[in-house]
Amino acid sequence: MGQAIAFYTLAAFILGFAVLVVTTKDTVHSVLFLVLDFLFVAALYVLLDAPFLAVIQVLVYAGGIVVLYLFVVMLVNLKRPPEAHHDPHRRTKLGLFLAVAVLLELGAIAVYQTTRPVLSVPGAPMPVTGNTEQVGWLLYTSYLIPFEIASMLLLVAMIGAIVLAKREL
Amino acid sequence: MITPTHYMLLSSALFIIGVAGVMMRRNIIVIFMSIELILNAVNINLVAYSSQLQNAVGQVFALFVIAVAAAEAAVGLGIILAFYRNKETVNIDEMNLMKW
């Protein structure tokens, strides 16, 4: 019962702030709503017994990525709001229609999924207990190569961002 | 009782809000934030099933998604800054330099 209340409260906050992120006219407010949204998603991870991921969500998303967004919003000083420019080719209604179509498709998949039992796939027995230990153990054994590739990807992204944002090399 | 279907519906709703944002807004920074919402929806799904199946692999994949999102944000915002310096706009309707 308590879990249900927590889930519905968090879901309402997550969806409400997501709608605000998309609809707010002021980009700075939009970024701030995004921080709140990420924090509530982190709370949902705690509810799902993934405390390590919740901390990573707060550190990387709410702490790192959103600050990057705020910096760019502040640097890109908008004298003329971008939505004021009207393009005759712009089809907002078509965009909304496509989004609703994807929603219906996902709903159909969800309804179909309820008719089938969820298969239980127990993971390989792990020599460690505890959420952080399990994630760390998996990262450094079965998923060592993807982990190293992810670090390489981040290095390349860092160099790319510096090259792109620098005025002249 | 909260089943994985509940989490799936939540994540698909979040995904749709992100898709609607990508389709309907013209400000490229808001479009990038909508993409972050979409990636978060995927992560909720991964973690929900990881918790349901008692298998931490879903959380490992969610970590990889977060790493890719960080890389995407860094490079994408670099591109936005470089574009803004040339064209003084963040409206995607005016970003048609490479369009035939």
Side-chain angles (χ1 to χ4, degrees):
Chain A
M1 189 60 202
Q3 207 204 2
I5 294 171
F7 172 77
Y8 285 117
T9 314
L10 289 176
F13 273 115
I14 288 170
L15 294 180
F17 282 124
V19 169
L20 282 174
V21 168
V22 171
T23 52
T24 311
K25 288 284 167 219
D26 191 338
T27 317
V28 179
H29 293 170
S30 201
V31 177
L32 295 177
F33 286 131
L34 193 69
V35 182
L36 289 172
D37 200 73
F38 286 158
L39 291 177
F40 280 107
V41 173
L44 194 72
Y45 290 162
V46 174
L47 192 67
L48 281 165
D49 298 324
F52 178 68
L53 206 60
V55 173
I56 293 295
Q57 169 93 4
V58 172
L59 281 179
V60 176
Y61 264 120
I65 293 179
V66 169
V67 171
L68 206 61
Y69 275 98
L70 264 184
F71 265 113
V72 171
V73 172
M74 302 294 181
L75 283 173
V76 177
N77 182 23
L78 295 172
K79 295 168 210 80
R80 183 169 59 103
E83 311 284 338
H85 170 87
H86 275 286
D87 186 51
H89 301 297
R90 175 171 167 178
R91 294 199 191 95
T92 308
K93 288 215 172 59
L94 181 68
L96 193 61
F97 169 74
L98 285 174
V100 171
V102 177
L103 176 65
L104 291 178
E105 204 174 322
L106 287 174
I109 293 170
V111 169
Y112 174 71
Q113 187 253 2
T114 53
T115 62
R116 297 161 66 89
V118 178
L119 295 173
S120 182
V121 189
M126 271 182 255
V128 289
T129 52
N131 175 256
T132 311
E133 288 86 346
Q134 282 186 349
V135 172
W137 195 78
L138 278 170
L139 267 181
Y140 283 101
T141 53
S142 317
Y143 295 92
L144 182 62
I145 292 173
F147 181 68
E148 296 296 337
I149 293 174
S151 66
M152 192 55 79
L153 175 77
L154 286 171
L155 177 69
V156 171
M158 191 171 75
I159 297 170
I162 293 169
V163 171
L164 281 169
K166 213 163 152 51
R167 271 172 208 279
E168 63 223 25
L169 287 171
Chain B
M1 179 61 192
I2 300 295
T3 59
T5 311
H6 287 81
Y7 285 102
M8 209 172 152
L9 287 173
L10 168 65
S11 90
S12 55
L14 192 57
F15 191 95
I16 295 308
I17 294 170
V19 170
V22 171
M23 298 256 186
M24 294 169 69
R25 292 300 299 262
R26 296 294 101 178
N27 185 340
I28 193 162
I29 299 173
V30 178
I31 289 179
F32 262 78
M33 287 193 272
S34 303
I35 294 174
E36 301 291 343
L37 287 180
I38 291 175
L39 291 170
N40 255 281
V42 173
N43 270 352
I44 289 175
N45 237 347
L46 286 172
V47 178
Y49 276 101
S50 155
S51 146
Q52 165 75 16
L53 303 175
Q54 296 294 313
N55 189 340
V57 175
Q59 294 173 33
V60 173
F61 274 87
L63 271 180
F64 287 139
V65 171
I66 290 178
V68 172
E72 172 252 328
V75 174
L77 293 172
I79 292 174
I80 293 175
L81 272 185
F83 188 86
Y84 181 78
R85 214 174 280 136
N86 289 324
K87 296 271 282 186
E88 298 275 313
T89 177
V90 289
N91 187 324
I92 57 159
D93 285 336
E94 294 169 41
M95 294 188 180
N96 49 11
L97 278 175
M98 295 174 82
K99 212 166 154 187
W100 58 276

